[in-house]
Amino acid sequence: MATMVSSAGGLLAMLNETHPMLKFHALSNLNAFVDYFWPEISTSVPIMVFYYLGELNDSLSYALGAGPLFDVSEDSDYLHTLLAKAIDEYASLKSKAAESNDEALVDPRLEAIVERMLDKCIVDGRYQQAMGMAIECRRLDKLEEAITRSDNVHGTLSYCINISHSFVNHREYRHEVLRCLVKVYQRLPSPDYLSICQCLMFLDEPEGVARILEKLLRSENKDDALLAFQIAFDLVENEHQAFLLNVRDRLSNPRSQPSESVQPGNNDTGSAQNENPGASEDVEMTDRSHASDGSLNEMDPIEASYAERLTKIKGILSGVTSIQLTLQFLYSHNKSDLLILKTIKQSVEMRNSVCHSATIYANAIMHAGTTVDTFLRENLDWLSRATNWAKFSATAGLGVIHRGHLQQGRSLMAPYLPQSGAGGGGSPYSEGGALYALGLIHANHGEGIKQFLRDSLRSTNVIQHGACLGLGLVSLGTADEDIYDDIKNVLYTDSAVAGEAAGISMGLLMVGSASEKASEMLAYAHETQHEKIIRGLALGIALTVYGREEEADMLIEQMTRDQDPILRYGGMYALALAYQGTANNKAIRQLLHFAVSDVSDDVRRTAVLALGFVLYSEPEQTPRIVSLLSESYNPHVRYGAALAVGISCAGTGLSEAISLLEPLTSDVVDFVRQGALIAMAMVMVQISETSDSRVGTFRRQLEKIILDKHEDTMSKMGAILASGILDAGGRNVTIRLLSKTKHDKVTAVVGLAVFSQFWYWYPLIYFSQSWSSYLMQNLLCLSTLDQPLFPLLHLPVKLPTAVLSTSAKAKARVKKEAEQKGNAEKTAARTESSSSTGQSSGRGKSSAEKDGEDSMQVDSPSPSSASEKKASEPEASFEILTNPARVVPAQEQFIKFLEESRYVPVKLAPPSGFILLKDLRPTEPEVLSLTGTPSPAAASGSTTAGQQQAASSSSSAMAVDEEPQPPQPFEYTS
């Protein structure tokens, strides 16, 4: 029986004994009674006194004095609290030492406790806890030990990459962690080259990536070459043009005698557009590549194989392959509704140029990348009413529609482009718009069009404006000094129109370079008197510090303290873009401070809007942080709060975001309503009414605003743009600022930053096409890389699908028919009750036959009986998709390949994006399904044996979505 203790006096008396064993016994037992006899013990044992008084620093110093007697394995609140304090103290000392570049002066006893704790976690198998502590304490040696000793090294490495992105706030230290992980990866028996290359891209080390790709391409194993192509596609998804071109240029040419003749073919994909002034030269390029293939036969077979693979991988790295496939996908899967645009056009007053231009913008966004310009062709008279800058915008809209049409881009825009020699003769506005359109077509992939745009800089202001914007788009992030000098010469003409575009273009060219050019731009911003030039330069300076985090602090400090509100406004963008996607507390604190304290409404609005860029990696946090600001008395702050939520929660359909934006869509101030409508469309893009009923309500609200003659112009413009964003890219495009590998998508973030400038300059709305991320599945096979192969995928879980109005009407009709049929059967059952018992099993069929003459009473009995039969069947647990298919981000986790499929993916990640496949049965004949078929009927009609189930399951849906079925035959009787 346990002894009841009523006082700690006996144990405390033992502490005064001379024998150490008695003292040890007393101290060991006092731990168990300290919670019960605290008043007695507190006067005698100082270490516990300090702990219970909350003086953790003093308590820790006593614990350190205990040395090895401080047992880290004990399970008590006291020990857990002191260990947390010790680790925090150690991490703080190491961080301060790293920031000041001094040697860390850490108490050896404190270091010993932290090391014992780390060792204990590793021994106990709590590797994730050990890795988290090691990263926080900057002990990369222990991090490496925890990873190498774990049961699943690849899994722990992936976990480590995730926490380094999510929790390491300092860019330099994050790079140290990633370098450590690359070393661990490379020492593995079978290195994960996909992850290594992603880490090297974060570290901006193209040499390492090029070495790995070349090693895989030169391998005799076909699977290694497939892996190289997969790595290239994954890198292209991150949209970092300068890095990709660096990797491509570092790949060595084949080693053999006739290498000179092969070289043009190898560089063909890269320089395909260098010499591409028109469609005719594209043909020459193709012929040249075929000519080079002839010389491959004279080579060593290994080098010939490498040369062939090199040509393909250069095509991938230059972006040509993925752009062509994306273009085919968006064209063949275009589901945009021209009736929406027709309704908008009819409801817009002809004399209202703002709404006229907004309709053109909405059409461009709705058909972005689809190459479908039917609306413009059918309404040429209406379109011709655009004058001056509206004409500039209308012409530039073609660039958004034909985005990625690299082969014919220049020939498409030829009628509008400035004519060399005779001084043109066309409108300078349409010529400037055409140059801007060329930039939009070749955005982030502009090797072939740069020179033409540079030549166009020597012209009038309006044409220079379009050429500067186009040149910035095609040279995004390349930091080309020659192009920079050309744009700088335009800036120094001190023309307000051309200077604004030149300032933005310089920023686009130098994105993320953090070069000394920023101080040069800042100096000119102080010299010039033109507000437009200062604003363009302010945004340009902000773009140069993109992603540089603490490196940009000095420039941010200089801009945010400037007397000129336009430069302080630029400082807000610099803060947003330097810390984009980091959710950095210091940046959030600074932005919130400016949002409530600056004297300029423009600066306050931008400070709130900038929160969206900082927080887009944690979208669920944004509504909570800006909720109070969304209720501000200042309409500019409310507008900023709306767009901040729109930017960070774009494409998520987050319920909290929609709830916050709903009251703002009916705000008393017109421009707040405009911002809220645009932000709501950004949040709801690719969200169906089934998953959130508020989507349908919002669409009806947009229609009501557009049709209302008394609605003010600002709100109407917001509603028109929102209609375009909701159906962007033929309903196949979403907004995604992070790639699947947690890289920020440079074009998406920069595109949104410039898009948000439409407050001052409407043509910048077209930068919205840069934030498009395509919802598609593209599966390729090495042997047929030029003709993509699309096997079937299936979804194991039934997923929500968009319900069109035609579907809803069809369902309502079927339900009504079923009710009428039930009533008719009940009547028949009552009148013929004597014979009903013998025919109970087949009553449905017999009643349908017997009541043939009454078929007009039950509108069409056959569809209703079919619906009854369909209702009785069990619901399918999966759906087979024909590849490539439109798959929204929420569905990606449910996609997998068919069991025992002939093709298996090279990587194990969810099959979305561009996936390369291994053919497990290469000896069997292949059946290819090509992407270039624009007609959906052709795609659905060609069903093989494996596709019968897909065809049968989708036939009813096709009947509703494509064209209603004709009614069943009947005879009309009066």
Side-chain angles (χ1 to χ4, degrees):
M1 183 177 174
T3 308
M4 296 294 293
V5 179
S6 59
S7 170
L11 293 170
L12 291 171
M14 284 186 187
L15 294 176
N16 298 322
E17 297 290 335
T18 54
H19 200 290
M21 289 299 291
L22 291 172
K23 289 182 178 180
F24 179 75
H25 174 77
L27 286 169
S28 300
N29 285 283
L30 278 171
N31 269 341
F33 298 121
V34 70
D35 291 334
Y36 304 104
F37 306 114
W38 164 243
E40 283 184 79
I41 295 170
S42 62
T43 57
S44 306
V45 188
I47 181 171
M48 305 298 280
V49 172
F50 287 127
Y51 166 68
Y52 278 94
L53 289 175
E55 300 288 345
L56 296 182
N57 286 326
D58 292 325
S59 186
L60 180 61
S61 65
Y62 276 99
L64 293 176
L69 296 175
F70 184 74
D71 184 10
V72 296
S73 61
E74 185 184 319
D75 187 18
S76 68
D77 289 345
Y78 162 71
L79 188 94
H80 292 163
T81 307
L82 277 196
L83 277 177
K85 177 66 180 171
I87 291 167
D88 286 346
E89 188 71 22
Y90 183 79
S92 173
L93 290 170
K94 295 285 277 187
S95 295
K96 285 176 185 172
E99 286 171 22
S100 58
N101 294 322
D102 295 330
E103 191 65 35
L105 299 173
V106 181
D107 189 328
R109 298 171 303 173
L110 178 62
E111 192 157 28
I113 284 180
V114 172
E115 285 191 0
R116 274 157 51 204
M117 188 61 203
L118 284 165
D119 291 336
K120 180 180 180 298
C121 288
I122 293 170
V123 170
D124 293 351
R126 291 183 291 181
Y127 300 110
Q128 291 189 354
Q129 191 175 340
M131 286 188 292
M133 286 166 53
I135 287 176
E136 192 177 355
C137 296
R138 293 179 179 252
R139 290 297 300 269
L140 298 183
D141 55 332
K142 290 291 178 185
L143 174 66
E144 203 171 317
E145 184 184 343
I147 293 169
T148 50
R149 290 180 60 179
S150 67
D151 310 325
N152 178 7
V153 177
H154 287 286
T156 49
L157 279 166
S158 300
Y159 172 79
C160 224
I161 289 173
N162 284 335
I163 61 172
S164 71
H165 292 318
S166 305
F167 300 109
V168 180
N169 289 326
H170 290 90
R171 186 167 177 263
E172 287 301 319
Y173 179 49
R174 192 183 312 125
H175 283 188
E176 284 179 38
V177 173
L178 290 172
R179 284 191 192 97
C180 173
L181 298 181
V182 169
K183 284 181 194 168
V184 178
Y185 268 124
Q186 288 172 335
R187 285 203 297 267
L188 294 176
S190 55
D192 181 359
Y193 288 120
L194 283 161
S195 299
I196 292 174
C197 289
Q198 291 294 340
C199 288
L200 290 172
M201 192 170 192
F202 275 115
L203 295 169
D204 197 22
E205 294 181 8
E207 307 88 358
V209 177
R211 278 197 302 273
I212 290 171
L213 289 179
E214 188 165 337
K215 176 185 171 186
L216 292 171
L217 290 174
R218 288 189 179 278
S219 168
E220 294 183 18
N221 187 347
K222 196 174 180 181
D223 289 352
D224 287 344
L226 275 174
L227 183 60
F229 294 141
Q230 184 64 67
I231 290 169
F233 274 121
D234 286 0
L235 294 178
V236 167
E237 191 202 351
N238 302 323
E239 300 178 355
H240 197 323
Q241 180 182 201
F243 182 87
L244 295 169
L245 295 181
N246 267 331
V247 172
R248 189 197 69 187
D249 295 339
R250 281 176 166 79
L251 293 171
S252 63
N253 290 318
R255 297 188 296 264
S256 68
Q257 186 61 35
S259 61
E260 290 81 6
S261 60
V262 176
Q263 193 168 345
N266 294 340
N267 292 336
D268 167 52
T269 48
S271 61
Q273 306 178 8
N274 269 340
E275 304 155 11
N276 183 13
S280 60
E281 298 202 10
D282 291 327
V283 179
E284 289 175 25
M285 176 201 80
T286 314
D287 293 337
R288 202 163 51 237
S289 69
H290 285 305
S292 69
D293 290 343
S295 63
L296 296 180
N297 299 327
E298 303 165 20
M299 282 190 184
D300 172 45
I302 296 173
E303 288 302 311
S305 170
Y306 171 67
E308 184 186 348
R309 292 170 177 177
L310 186 67
T311 304
K312 288 177 180 176
I313 204 162
K314 284 190 172 185
I316 296 169
L317 289 171
S318 63
V320 174
T321 308
S322 53
I323 286 172
Q324 285 174 350
L325 292 168
T326 302
L327 195 68
Q328 289 171 355
F329 173 81
L330 289 177
Y331 172 67
S332 58
H333 288 71
N334 174 32
K335 301 288 183 190
S336 57
D337 189 352
L338 290 174
L339 194 61
I340 294 173
L341 287 169
K342 187 179 177 184
T343 305
I344 295 171
K345 181 178 96 57
Q346 289 172 348
S347 62
V348 168
E349 294 177 18
M350 297 307 290
R351 62 177 179 275
N352 190 334
S353 64
V354 173
C355 291
H356 184 278
S357 294
T359 311
I360 296 170
Y361 296 136
N363 169 59
I365 295 170
M366 202 180 282
H367 292 96
T370 62
T371 72
V372 176
D373 51 10
T374 313
F375 177 75
L376 298 179
R377 293 182 187 281
E378 290 178 354
N379 298 284
L380 290 173
D381 288 344
W382 174 82
L383 195 64
S384 65
R385 296 176 191 274
T387 57
N388 299 339
W389 285 106
K391 185 180 284 188
F392 176 93
S393 299
T395 314
L398 286 169
V400 180
I401 293 171
H402 292 281
R403 185 197 177 188
H405 211 161
L406 306 181
Q407 298 286 333
Q408 282 86 36
R410 176 116 174 243
S411 55
L412 279 167
M413 300 309 302
Y416 311 99
L417 289 169
Q419 303 299 318
S420 57
S427 162
Y429 292 99
S430 63
E431 290 178 357
L435 292 170
Y436 182 19
L438 274 184
L440 291 164
I441 289 171
H442 293 265
N444 207 32
H445 299 282
E447 288 190 284
I449 207 71
K450 283 179 191 173
Q451 190 56 48
F452 176 76
L453 290 169
R454 286 175 68 181
D455 295 341
S456 303
L457 288 174
R458 308 181 191 92
S459 193
T460 61
N461 286 342
V462 178
I463 294 175
Q464 282 179 330
H465 183 91
C468 281
L469 290 176
L471 202 49
L473 278 162
V474 300
S475 309
L476 187 70
T478 55
D480 188 309
E481 292 287 342
D482 295 336
I483 295 176
Y484 178 83
D485 290 339
D486 286 349
I487 299 172
K488 188 168 70 174
N489 292 335
V490 174
L491 177 72
Y492 286 169
T493 60
D494 209 41
S495 157
V497 171
E500 181 183 30
I504 295 172
S505 184
M506 289 159 87
L508 293 170
L509 180 67
M510 294 290 172
V511 161
S513 63
S515 67
E516 69 284 352
K517 302 284 193 298
S519 52
E520 192 180 308
M521 292 159 73
L522 188 60
Y524 190 77
H526 283 122
E527 289 173 19
T528 186
Q529 300 300 308
H530 292 293
E531 201 174 285
K532 284 170 78 73
I533 294 180
I534 299 171
R535 185 169 291 111
L537 284 169
L539 181 62
I541 295 165
L543 289 168
T544 60
V545 295
Y546 175 91
R548 304 304 286 204
E549 298 180 33
E550 56 275 359
E551 279 182 51
D553 284 350
M554 191 179 294
L555 182 66
I556 291 168
E557 183 75 12
Q558 193 178 348
M559 292 181 78
T560 52
R561 288 180 179 275
D562 203 286
Q563 288 186 340
D564 189 340
I566 301 176
L567 286 175
R568 292 204 305 277
Y569 158 94
M572 298 303 105
Y573 272 106
L575 198 51
L577 293 173
Y579 289 95
Q580 43 77 29
T582 59
N584 185 286
N585 284 331
K586 184 181 78 171
I588 293 169
R589 197 161 48 246
Q590 277 184 274
L591 289 169
L592 288 172
H593 169 71
F594 283 107
V596 296
S597 65
D598 201 279
V599 293
S600 165
D601 281 337
D602 281 359
V603 177
R604 294 180 69 176
R605 182 185 71 246
T606 312
V608 184
L609 184 149
L611 287 167
F613 287 102
V614 178
L615 288 164
Y616 68 70
S617 59
E618 298 180 13
E620 60 284 345
Q621 300 289 343
T622 314
R624 183 176 58 82
I625 288 173
V626 303
S627 59
L628 286 174
L629 295 169
S630 70
E631 298 168 10
S632 167
Y633 70 91
N634 188 326
H636 290 266
V637 173
R638 297 202 298 275
Y639 175 92
L643 274 189
V645 170
I647 289 165
S648 70
C649 304
T652 61
L654 203 66
S655 180
E656 295 86 350
I658 295 171
S659 300
L660 184 141
L661 290 169
E662 271 181 328
L664 293 175
T665 58
S666 52
D667 196 274
V668 292
V669 181
D670 54 359
F671 65 78
V672 177
R673 292 200 296 277
Q674 183 195 70
L677 292 169
I678 292 171
M680 185 78 94
M682 290 163 71
V683 174
M684 286 182 171
V685 66
Q686 294 301 334
I687 305 300
S688 69
E689 194 172 349
T690 312
S691 54
D692 194 325
S693 59
R694 290 175 290 186
V695 175
T697 308
F698 179 60
R699 281 188 182 272
R700 288 187 288 276
Q701 183 184 2
L702 292 180
E703 190 177 1
K704 179 175 175 290
I705 292 170
I706 291 166
L707 294 174
D708 188 352
K709 298 285 185 190
H710 305 292
E711 189 67 59
D712 58 86
T713 302
M714 293 284 275
S715 300
K716 196 170 274 196
M717 178 190 172
I720 293 169
L721 288 176
S723 299
I725 292 169
L726 276 176
D727 294 337
R731 297 184 177 172
N732 289 305
V733 165
T734 186
I735 305 168
R736 188 184 269 177
L737 302 184
L738 276 177
S739 70
K740 296 183 194 74
T741 50
K742 303 296 181 189
H743 278 273
D744 50 283
K745 296 190 133 187
V746 184
T747 50
V749 179
V750 170
L752 259 182
V754 183
F755 166 77
S756 61
Q757 305 297 306
F758 78 86
W759 175 277
Y760 302 102
W761 192 232
Y762 288 156
L764 297 179
I765 286 172
Y766 287 137
F767 273 80
S768 62
Q769 63 101 40
S770 300
W771 40 250
S772 304
S773 173
Y774 304 107
L775 307 170
M776 60 185 293
Q777 306 291 318
N778 260 347
L779 305 177
L780 311 179
C781 183
L782 171 68
S783 58
T784 55
L785 192 60
D786 299 324
Q787 294 183 331
L789 169 71
F790 300 108
L792 297 175
L793 305 173
H794 72 76
L795 304 176
V797 179
K798 188 177 185 298
L799 298 166
T801 53
V803 178
L804 303 177
S805 58
T806 51
S807 306
K809 288 173 184 173
K811 285 177 182 173
R813 190 170 62 247
V814 167
K815 187 177 178 183
K816 182 182 175 186
E817 289 167 358
E819 286 173 359
Q820 288 178 349
K821 179 165 176 58
N823 293 337
E825 285 178 352
K826 283 177 187 173
T827 308
R830 280 196 299 270
T831 55
E832 299 184 18
S833 57
S834 59
S835 61
S836 63
T837 53
Q839 299 177 355
S840 58
S841 60
R843 183 165 36 150
K845 183 179 177 184
S846 62
S847 63
E849 291 170 353
K850 179 180 61 188
D851 296 339
E853 65 277 8
D854 299 330
S855 58
M856 283 302 292
Q857 295 172 8
V858 183
D859 287 341
S860 61
S862 295
S864 65
S865 60
S867 68
E868 283 178 357
K869 185 178 177 184
K870 189 176 178 182
S872 65
E873 291 175 1
E875 191 174 353
S877 60
F878 66 88
E879 176 189 0
I880 294 179
L881 301 177
T882 306
N883 208 20
R886 172 186 176 277
V887 175
V888 296
Q891 295 172 328
E892 284 180 9
Q893 58 182 313
F894 300 109
I895 301 172
K896 63 181 181 181
F897 284 88
L898 289 166
E899 298 292 331
E900 300 178 3
S901 174
R902 171 177 173 174
Y903 302 97
V904 293
V906 170
K907 65 175 184 178
L908 300 175
S912 64
F914 295 97
I915 305 291
L916 276 105
L917 305 173
K918 287 189 282 190
D919 189 351
L920 300 181
R921 300 193 285 276
T923 54
E924 296 181 11
E926 288 183 317
V927 180
L928 299 182
S929 171
L930 300 181
T931 52
T933 51
S935 145
S940 62
S942 57
T943 54
T944 61
Q947 293 170 305
Q948 292 302 321
Q949 190 174 355
S952 62
S953 65
S954 64
S955 59
S956 59
M958 290 292 285
V960 172
D961 295 343
E962 298 298 334
E963 189 68 37
Q965 290 292 318
Q968 294 295 318
F970 62 89
E971 290 181 12
Y972 176 74
T973 56
S974 57

